[in-house]
Amino acid sequence: MRPRLRVLCTEHLFTGNLKLQIQSVRGRVCVVDKSGMTNSEMRIGVDLGGTKIEALALDKAGRELVRHRVDTPRDDYDATIAAIAGLVRHLEQETGQTGTVGAGIPGCISRVTGLVKNANSVWLNGKPLDRDLCVALEREVRVANDANCLAISEATDGAAAGKRVVFGVILGTGCGGGVAINGHVHDGPNGVGGEWGHNPLPWARPEELPGPECYCGRRGCLEKWISGTGVAWDHRQMTGREQTTREIMMAYEVGDSDAVATVDRFEDRLARGLAHVINMLDPDVLVFGGGLSKAEYLYRNLPGRLPQYVFGGEMATPILPARYGDSSGVRGAAWLWPDE
Ligand SMILES: [Zn+2]
């Protein structure tokens, strides 16, 4: 029997001659009356980050038409909605076209409540972001986790183009993961598909327990070990030296023994985390984005480290840097409207 959809709210929005009926169904906002939809030749993607909001417009073939960014109005939800709407209007004025709109956020929309959860940009949590964007832009706006957007971008026309199951990893300030299957987001009923950063570090050694405290309320989350902040924290614990991740990576390149030891621990922990992903999902490809993904040696070293942890002792999964680098999130947001 098909589950009955629970309509959380229905509202009408009158704007000029347009009437939009907007429903929030099991946490997904949809425009019931499609009269507010626009031609879909142009796709607009928005990447809502903790410090910047970036938006771009892609043409039908995925070529970038124009892009803009503004500072994120931190701690001000209404101003965040207004900033996103302003960016979209700006792109549409410049191109003379209207487009579909997708947005990547650090968190996800709960299917239970229809509200944002798990965002480290905490002023978004508890807000009906997709619904408010829908009202502000007078059309359906698709919202997904930023790591899912990375996976979609790379699966659509990036490093993982044509691959069926793609696991995207953001190794940045934090650590996120996302899954794309046949070019579509796989988020699941809890909206947390791919959120490996808040699993515990696998095969933890005695000196790694109980692990650092995480903002999620637990200890020893992977994110606390294999993110930029995690690497700097680990380096400080082991050497007593306060260095940024960038400084540690530069010291590694010239053979500094402390930095070499820190990178060795980082790679080993990353391999342990990825082995769990492979044992669970066995994706066709792993794609890395985020600041740490720019370290070329990762792609040389990880394939040799993984077999000791993957069940069966084999590792044939390609590990690739994101083709679109830092732009992959915003492109993936645009591709939340795939060719149907
Ligand atoms: Zn956590």
Side-chain angles (χ1 to χ4, degrees):
M1 200 176 94
R2 276 172 70 92
R4 254 189 56 211
L5 295 183
R6 184 157 62 99
V7 177
L8 297 175
C9 69
T10 301
E11 66 183 67
H12 293 86
L13 179 76
F14 293 92
T15 162
N17 295 326
L18 278 180
K19 180 183 136 192
L20 289 180
Q21 187 185 354
I22 298 161
Q23 288 188 339
S24 183
V25 180
R26 297 172 76 199
R28 281 197 96 100
V29 168
C30 37
V31 176
V32 179
D33 176 350
K34 297 267 184 182
S35 60
M37 289 299 294
T38 55
N39 75 64
S40 58
E41 293 292 301
M42 186 171 78
R43 295 177 168 89
I44 293 173
V46 178
D47 185 16
L48 172 53
T51 55
K52 297 278 183 201
I53 305 173
E54 185 155 38
L56 60 63
L58 300 179
D59 71 9
K60 191 168 172 53
R63 287 181 296 249
E64 182 176 327
L65 298 171
V66 61
R67 114 166 42 197
H68 289 292
R69 56 160 56 184
V70 295
D71 289 338
T72 304
R74 291 184 65 84
D75 303 315
D76 189 337
Y77 175 74
D78 291 340
T80 301
I81 296 292
I84 293 171
L87 277 169
V88 170
R89 301 286 186 214
H90 190 177
L91 295 178
E92 292 186 332
Q93 276 166 11
E94 273 188 81
T95 57
Q97 299 177 58
T98 50
T100 55
V101 180
I105 65 167
C108 67
I109 306 285
S110 163
R111 287 202 196 175
V112 178
T113 64
L115 308 174
V116 175
K117 66 174 181 177
N118 296 346
N120 53 10
S121 298
V122 291
W123 68 96
L124 304 176
N125 285 323
K127 303 289 189 183
L129 182 100
D130 54 348
R131 188 170 150 268
D132 288 339
L133 286 177
C134 180
V135 171
L137 288 165
E138 301 166 17
R139 76 197 83 170
E140 181 180 351
V141 176
R142 294 182 179 170
V143 174
N145 175 263
D146 47 13
N148 285 333
C149 290
L150 166 76
I152 293 173
S153 166
E154 295 299 319
T156 301
D157 61 356
K163 301 286 189 184
R164 199 169 62 83
V165 180
V166 178
F167 190 74
V169 176
I170 297 181
L171 295 169
T173 311
C175 161
V179 182
I181 299 176
N182 296 326
H184 293 262
V185 175
H186 172 73
D187 52 3
N190 303 295
V192 295
E195 284 291 359
W196 71 326
H198 297 275
N199 286 356
L201 176 69
W203 298 289
R205 311 192 200 294
E207 66 273 20
E208 292 169 332
L209 293 170
E213 287 180 8
C214 182
Y215 75 90
C216 76
R218 301 187 187 279
R219 298 188 73 117
C221 290
L222 259 178
E223 173 163 288
K224 302 304 291 184
W225 295 105
I226 61 170
S227 59
T229 46
V231 169
W233 178 87
D234 176 60
H235 189 72
R236 189 170 65 243
Q237 294 297 115
M238 301 303 285
T239 67
R241 290 213 308 277
E242 191 86 40
Q243 287 181 280
T244 64
T245 310
R246 184 185 294 264
E247 288 166 345
I248 296 165
M249 296 300 167
M250 284 166 59
Y252 170 85
E253 301 278 0
V254 296
D256 174 272
S257 59
D258 283 341
V260 168
T262 295
V263 170
D264 180 69
R265 290 191 299 279
F266 164 60
E267 288 184 347
D268 180 67
R269 289 164 181 155
L270 181 54
R272 284 185 256 163
L274 292 172
H276 267 205
V277 172
I278 292 170
N279 285 354
M280 289 278 295
L281 185 67
D282 209 352
D284 294 308
V285 61
L286 297 162
V287 185
F288 291 177
L292 284 172
S293 73
K294 299 184 173 99
E296 289 173 13
Y297 47 84
L298 284 182
Y299 308 95
R300 286 196 304 274
N301 298 343
L302 281 171
R305 289 181 179 270
L306 270 151
Q308 63 181 309
Y309 296 119
V310 175
F311 182 55
E314 295 176 348
M315 211 317 264
T317 317
I319 303 177
L320 304 170
R323 175 180 172 190
Y324 291 107
D326 294 336
S327 295
S328 218
V330 71
R331 290 182 64 90
W335 288 117
L336 289 173
W337 293 86
D339 289 324
E340 302 295 351

